[in-house]
Amino acid sequence: MRLTTKGRYAVTAMLDLALHAQHGPVSLADISERQGISLSYLEQLFAKLRRGNLVTSVRGPGGGYQLSREMGGIQVAQVIDAVNESVDATRCQGLGDCHSGDTCLTHHLWCDLSQQIHEFLSGISLADLVMRREVQEVALRQDMRRAKGHAPQLDKIEASAVE
């Protein structure tokens, strides 16, 4: 099963945005610092999230991004779909050419698994994640670390374009 960095980082960034939404628009620089995701990569992801109507941008001093609707109305699967990511358990990306150009014996099994995973992620909202105790604990630790000036090391993920 593949969920690439693009999908994982999009969900992480959206969860960070949801966790800090009560303070107004959140800058990508703040998300980058807290989550250790390259700012240029976040800019590419948020362009897609904005086109997917999951976030809106606020310009000017104190600007940044905010959720386009209540966090209970944004499902994890919607975030993954907005960045053109798929949760695919097949080796053929669902094309059915997995066995020398033909469908393999287990193709439909892996397609069914992919569908089940998507349905599972469709049943989890950002609000569900925000309410989880372990998510709140990690967010508190990140905020405390940032307040003390101990930002995490940024991952060296740079991308020229997010598909």
Side-chain angles (χ1 to χ4, degrees):
M1 197 209 70
R2 292 183 342 268
L3 178 60
T4 67
T5 300
K6 182 174 35 171
R8 288 185 294 117
Y9 279 8
V11 173
T12 298
M14 287 291 286
L15 182 54
D16 185 286
L17 183 62
L19 285 161
H20 295 91
Q22 71 274 15
H23 303 298
V26 178
S27 75
L28 293 184
D30 288 345
I31 295 172
S32 173
E33 186 178 333
R34 279 189 296 268
Q35 302 308 323
I37 304 170
S38 156
L39 182 58
S40 62
Y41 199 76
L42 282 173
E43 288 168 348
Q44 294 171 49
L45 289 175
F46 272 75
K48 289 183 173 288
L49 294 168
R50 190 174 57 245
R51 283 192 298 271
N53 296 316
L54 296 177
V55 298
T56 57
S57 60
V58 177
R59 296 189 183 272
Y65 284 88
Q66 55 193 20
L67 299 175
S68 64
R69 55 185 176 266
E70 294 294 320
M71 65 180 100
I74 299 176
Q75 311 306 323
V76 172
Q78 292 174 313
V79 175
I80 292 169
D81 292 343
V83 296
N84 301 322
E85 181 66 32
S86 66
V87 181
D88 183 13
T90 68
R91 290 187 328 179
C92 63
Q93 289 77 46
L95 299 175
D97 59 356
C98 28
H99 188 76
S100 302
D102 291 324
T103 304
C104 72
L105 279 175
T106 56
H107 175 78
H108 297 291
L109 170 68
W110 304 129
C111 284
D112 290 348
L113 176 59
S114 298
Q115 181 62 33
Q116 289 293 316
I117 292 168
H118 194 273
E119 288 175 16
F120 171 76
L121 295 175
S122 293
I124 301 171
S125 71
L126 292 178
D128 295 332
L129 294 175
V130 165
M131 297 305 297
R132 292 182 68 151
R133 181 182 49 81
E134 60 272 17
V135 169
Q136 293 174 10
E137 289 171 358
V138 170
L140 180 61
R141 184 188 73 229
Q142 289 174 342
D143 289 341
M144 290 176 63
R145 183 176 294 145
R146 185 169 180 241
K148 292 179 182 179
H150 296 23
Q153 294 294 319
L154 291 179
D155 290 341
K156 299 300 180 197
I157 294 178
E158 296 291 334
S160 59
V162 175
E163 294 180 12

